Amino acid sequence: MIDADTQLAYGIFWTAYVVAFVVFFYMMKLLFRWIPVYGVRTLLLAALVVLLLTPVESPDVHGWWMPAWLFGGYEMVLGDLAEASRAFFNFAIAGLVMLLVWVLDLVRYRLVRR
């Protein structure tokens, strides 16, 4: 069982990670503003969300989630391809969901611009 201090550290990590992501996302949004095509701009931002916010559950502690890029990269370096493929499977699912959201956003953008 995980003690209270470890749970607190887990919560602090995710809070700091999400705050850092929001700041980074805002900075990238300002950087991508120079791209003239709306679809390309939003596709890059969607890829950023999928890359940095896709979680994967820890195999050691039930109910603990970690960033898939961190877990998948670490397991790939260690040579455990089965665990790394679990993280990349989560990337694939998140990418498909984000692709659907991106297409629906393009339809919304097209309808509003008329």
Side-chain angles (χ1 to χ4, degrees):
M1 195 67 187
I2 303 299
D3 62 348
D5 288 339
T6 308
Q7 285 284 27
L8 179 64
Y10 177 72
I12 290 171
F13 162 76
W14 273 110
T15 303
Y17 189 80
V18 169
V19 167
F21 173 78
V22 167
V23 170
F24 183 69
F25 184 82
Y26 180 72
M27 290 172 55
M28 294 305 287
K29 190 173 181 178
L30 292 177
L31 180 67
F32 291 157
R33 196 171 37 178
W34 63 269
I35 299 174
V37 180
Y38 176 80
V40 174
R41 199 169 48 232
T42 55
L43 180 63
L44 289 172
L45 290 173
L48 185 69
V49 168
V50 167
L51 182 66
L52 294 178
L53 288 186
T54 301
V56 65
E57 189 172 13
S58 171
D60 299 327
V61 180
H62 178 69
W64 276 37
W65 295 83
M66 61 190 80
W69 66 268
L70 184 63
F71 179 75
Y74 183 71
E75 293 299 329
M76 191 80 108
V77 167
L78 291 179
D80 191 358
L81 297 180
E83 287 297 320
S85 65
R86 215 167 45 94
F88 296 127
F89 178 74
N90 283 13
F91 275 131
I93 297 297
L96 288 174
V97 169
M98 190 55 80
L99 185 64
L100 176 65
V101 169
W102 179 70
V103 168
L104 291 174
D105 180 56
L106 288 180
V107 170
R108 179 205 56 85
Y109 181 76
R110 174 88 184 228
L111 291 175
V112 169
R113 294 274 309 213
R114 283 187 177 194

